[in-house]
Amino acid sequence: SRASSAACSRSRQRPTANAADVGRGEWARPVAVTWLLVAGVSSALLVRAAVASPPGTVFVGTFYYVDDYYNYLSYVQQAEDGALVFGNKLTSPDLPPALVNLEWLVVGWLSALLGGAPLVAYRLLGLVALAGFVVVVDRWLVRGGLPPPRRLAGLLLVFTGGGLGGLMVSTGWIGTMRPYDLVAGIYPFVEAVANPHFVIGTALLAGALGAFAADRPVQGVVLGSILALVRPYDAALVAGVQGLAVLLRWSPREWPRRLLPVAALAPALLYNAWVFLWSPGFGVFSNPRYASSRPSPVELALAIGPAILVALLALRGAKEEDDVVRRHRTYLALWAALALAIVVIQPVSFALQFVAGVGAPLLILAAIGLGRMRRGALEVAVLLFAGTALTQTWLQLSPNSYRNVPEERWRVAEALRGTCNRGEIVLAPPDIGLYVGGLSACWPWVSHSFSPDHVTRDDATRRFYAGSPEERLRYLEENGVAHVVVPAGWAAGGLPPGGPYERRLQVDGARGGLAVYSRATSETPPARP
């Protein structure tokens, strides 16, 4: 009788994920409210940044990692022009294309439908991915043991929660430390504001692991394979988590059969290994310089320590739950643990990439644990953990020189959209080179700081602008440059009169404007080195 009473008590406490138990409108309301809140705030910040840019400047379209973002756009631009396999604009245009990325294909196609608006297309896809992300997290919460009436509070904790970086920045306590919870895409809110690429990757990652946790391996393999052609780091994480889950849940006799779904992910993962480690042109993404951005233990603790501590609440009493609930919590714990282990141990130079989205499983576990406590605990946690979201929102309300750049430097790259042909080289300062690669069909001579030979080319470009007209012409000829960006006031473009380069276009600006000189179409282009 006592055992029966205890079983009934647990049955009453156990949440049900059946939508039939709740009206359809009531079931959808928490998801809709959460999506509208996060999508509304992130979109409003982007619109404000665009319309409130100081006179003479333009908003480049993203708040963080402008160099990486425009590198993404360089593939979007190729897709917009009809490419299915992409070349790397950080290397020579003569190297064969090798990269297939479904995200950038879709963004490019959408941009073409919009008449050539890659920045708008990328954000639209990000909003759609955010909606899917909220739906997937909602399923994780309920299947992990959160009572359905607490779903809205749970979703708000996951999508507005963060670490201590926001509090320390807003109070001035941060000192020389870096607030990784504000800038590294650890938490869903930061991902939504900073970068659609993070949102799409984490949404697919959560969906693939959710399918495996629900014992739907075919769906997990499909989503994991798609993820491998979107954000390969996250696909490797899916394989690692599923492999660890099999080793923990099943006896060694069952391992060969249960590991077959992991093996099914191998073709896509091996393709990515070939692209980023051995293919000519894409080895830059395993550049050792990426390792220099590794967070210190204190910085990492400030960013995710509170979320880890509260996530431990979900593990308390887990043995009393049914297998479905325990399994989902196990997958969440393995997701967070494996990603953080890679970031801390750093077995590869790009280990920091695995920190993106790691706050999601921690906050899901935190919401589950708090949601099973007395009413009010979860709601109070939503307020206490919102410091990162509030601080980031506050920081983006004011323009800065990183994302609000001199107008002519961005618009000259935009103007080259109608002038450039695929593979033609543009010589310009590195910041303009970034915009050129993302907005036009040209290849920049120097752009991203992690590209091969960046230091050498950057130094040579500085000498080019400081040199004599004859030295400039010689450098252009030696390196097969088709277009060169110069100050609009330079006579003959700073080149010897009567040479093979002629003025193609000019963009006015408060700082004197810029001009593009292009090699005359009647001239035979010089051979590229």
Side-chain angles (χ1 to χ4, degrees):
S1 175
R2 189 176 297 131
S4 175
S5 175
C8 289
S9 175
R10 287 196 299 270
S11 178
R12 285 193 298 270
Q13 294 175 359
R14 185 176 302 140
T16 174
N18 191 346
D21 295 335
V22 186
R24 181 172 298 178
E26 185 179 348
W27 190 262
R29 190 175 299 116
V31 171
V33 169
T34 304
W35 179 80
L36 287 172
L37 173 65
V38 180
V41 171
S42 59
S43 299
L45 289 174
L46 289 167
V47 172
R48 175 181 170 79
V51 301
S53 195
T57 68
V58 64
F59 175 52
V60 297
T62 187
F63 296 112
Y64 293 121
Y65 306 114
V66 172
D67 49 2
D68 288 343
Y69 195 69
Y70 273 82
N71 186 46
Y72 304 157
L73 290 177
S74 73
Y75 304 112
V76 170
Q77 182 277 320
Q78 294 176 64
E80 188 178 343
D81 281 356
L84 298 177
V85 184
F86 306 137
N88 184 5
K89 288 192 178 183
L90 303 185
T91 59
S92 169
D94 296 324
L95 295 176
L99 178 66
V100 175
N101 186 286
L102 300 180
E103 172 190 325
W104 297 326
L105 274 176
V106 172
V107 178
W109 295 340
L110 180 56
S111 176
L113 288 175
L114 295 175
L119 294 169
V120 175
Y122 214 163
R123 290 296 174 176
L124 288 177
L125 184 62
L127 292 176
V128 173
L130 178 62
F133 192 10
V134 176
V135 171
V136 171
V137 169
D138 183 62
R139 292 180 179 178
W140 272 106
L141 288 169
V142 176
R143 291 173 179 172
L146 180 70
R150 318 295 298 279
R151 290 167 51 233
L152 177 57
L155 286 170
L156 290 177
L157 179 63
V158 175
F159 283 93
T160 63
L164 293 176
L167 175 65
M168 298 189 71
V169 167
S170 60
T171 57
W173 295 349
I174 192 70
T176 59
M177 292 184 292
R178 295 164 291 182
Y180 272 84
D181 54 321
L182 285 173
V183 300
I186 293 175
Y187 295 101
F189 184 87
V190 179
E191 292 184 295
V193 173
N195 197 329
H197 185 55
F198 288 160
V199 176
I200 296 167
T202 308
L204 285 169
L205 170 58
L209 289 178
F212 280 121
D215 273 342
R216 296 173 182 168
V218 174
Q219 182 180 346
V221 169
V222 171
L223 290 174
S225 298
I226 293 173
L227 180 58
L229 299 178
V230 169
R231 198 165 188 273
Y233 319 104
D234 291 337
L237 200 56
V238 169
V241 170
Q242 176 60 11
L244 289 173
V246 168
L247 299 182
L248 291 175
R249 289 180 57 201
W250 303 99
S251 64
R253 191 186 318 172
E254 292 284 326
W255 288 353
R257 181 169 66 90
R258 298 288 178 178
L259 287 173
L260 283 177
V262 179
L265 294 171
L269 294 175
L270 289 174
Y271 160 73
N272 281 297
W274 171 76
V275 168
F276 296 113
L277 296 178
W278 297 293
S279 72
F282 286 89
V284 59
F285 295 107
S286 56
N287 191 324
R289 293 180 64 188
Y290 280 106
S292 63
S293 56
R294 177 182 181 179
S296 70
V298 174
E299 291 170 333
L300 197 59
L302 291 172
I304 62 172
I308 292 176
L309 292 176
V310 182
L312 294 175
L313 292 173
L315 304 180
R316 186 181 62 179
K319 294 182 179 179
E320 300 177 4
E321 302 291 351
D322 64 24
D323 181 62
V324 173
V325 171
R326 287 199 307 271
R327 188 165 66 245
H328 279 78
R329 295 186 194 181
T330 299
Y331 270 84
L332 289 169
L334 288 175
W335 173 2
L338 182 57
L340 290 174
I342 294 173
V343 173
V344 172
I345 300 172
Q346 204 166 22
V348 290
S349 62
F350 47 84
L352 188 60
Q353 296 287 351
F354 290 88
V355 83
V358 73
L362 293 172
L363 291 177
I364 293 171
L365 285 170
I368 293 169
L370 291 167
R372 299 175 64 81
M373 298 171 64
R374 181 176 301 176
R375 180 168 288 276
L378 178 55
E379 288 75 11
V380 170
V382 172
L383 299 176
L384 293 177
F385 276 77
T388 294
L390 292 173
T391 302
Q392 192 191 48
T393 302
W394 169 63
L395 290 173
Q396 307 317 326
L397 292 176
S398 301
N400 60 61
S401 59
Y402 179 70
R403 55 181 172 84
N404 298 91
V405 302
E407 185 175 22
E408 63 270 23
R409 301 184 78 80
W410 188 86
R411 297 205 183 282
V412 72
E414 185 184 39
L416 278 166
R417 288 174 67 90
T419 300
C420 278
N421 295 312
R422 187 197 179 281
E424 291 182 336
I425 295 177
V426 172
L427 190 146
D431 61 324
I432 298 178
L434 283 171
Y435 313 143
V436 167
L439 299 177
S440 77
C442 277
W443 252 242
W445 178 245
V446 59
S447 58
H448 200 295
S449 61
F450 284 177
S451 59
D453 301 325
H454 173 81
V455 174
T456 302
R457 290 189 176 188
D458 187 26
D459 290 343
T461 301
R462 293 174 189 274
R463 291 195 300 271
F464 169 87
Y465 286 106
S468 66
E470 291 73 19
E471 290 171 331
R472 295 191 189 110
L473 179 60
R474 187 182 311 116
Y475 190 76
L476 296 177
E477 294 280 353
E478 289 174 352
N479 294 288
V481 175
H483 311 277
V484 57
V485 178
V486 297
W490 280 13
L495 302 173
Y501 290 85
E502 58 187 22
R503 196 182 190 94
R504 177 66 61 87
L505 59 90
Q506 177 175 330
V507 175
D508 296 329
R511 295 162 179 79
L514 295 170
V516 173
Y517 279 73
S518 303
R519 191 171 184 84
T521 55
S522 60
E523 294 285 340
T524 302
R528 286 193 295 261

